[in-house]
Amino acid sequence: MNLMHQPEQLWRSLTRLTALLTLLLSAILGLLGALQVSVGLMVGVLTLGGIVAFYAWLVRRFAQPGGRSFHRMLLLSGLVKYPVLMLVIYLVVQGGMPMTLGFVAGVLLPLGILTALAIRTNR
């Protein structure tokens, strides 16, 4: 069994590596004087983590066999989720180009780590 077939172990590995790399990169960027990039990086990682955690909660809470409430809740969640996401993105963009670039890097960091874990385990 590789790591991709064990969701709990994959989730633990992904969160540990993401947290470690985020803190390391944020510390390095902070020491280099790029505080806005560091803040954007952390906000990006937290935003993507929040989205994933929201969907995990939604599936655990509402995805019952034969239940129809999951589809309804999935549609209704957009009324709250998208305005909050737009507010976060608006505030990041107001922080300037360095914060926006850090935000994009923060969103892509967990996805890159997941890709690296997949490549490593499937060799």
Side-chain angles (χ1 to χ4, degrees):
M1 264 320 221
N2 67 16
L3 190 62
M4 293 297 136
H5 293 113
Q6 300 169 352
E8 289 179 16
Q9 188 177 0
L10 174 65
W11 179 253
R12 258 186 260 120
S13 298
L14 180 63
T15 54
R16 284 181 187 158
L17 282 172
T18 302
L20 179 69
L21 281 176
T22 301
L23 292 175
L24 182 67
L25 285 172
S26 294
I28 290 171
L29 289 168
L31 291 174
L32 293 175
L35 290 176
Q36 285 185 320
V37 179
S38 176
V39 170
L41 180 77
M42 289 187 283
V43 170
V45 168
L46 289 174
T47 300
L48 186 64
I51 291 169
V52 170
F54 170 74
Y55 280 117
W57 172 80
L58 193 68
V59 168
R60 278 195 312 269
R61 176 77 171 95
F62 294 104
Q64 306 296 331
R68 302 188 84 124
S69 64
F70 178 70
H71 298 291
R72 193 173 308 125
M73 285 305 297
L74 189 61
L75 290 173
L76 289 175
S77 69
L79 296 174
V80 174
K81 178 180 57 181
Y82 293 122
V84 170
L85 187 59
M86 290 283 97
L87 177 66
V88 169
I89 292 172
Y90 173 77
L91 293 173
V92 166
V93 170
Q94 290 299 313
M97 182 60 85
M99 189 176 289
T100 304
L101 291 175
F103 179 80
V104 170
V107 169
L108 293 177
L109 182 67
L111 301 175
I113 292 172
L114 184 61
T115 303
L117 285 173
I119 291 170
R120 192 190 81 191
T121 58
N122 288 322
R123 282 189 178 199

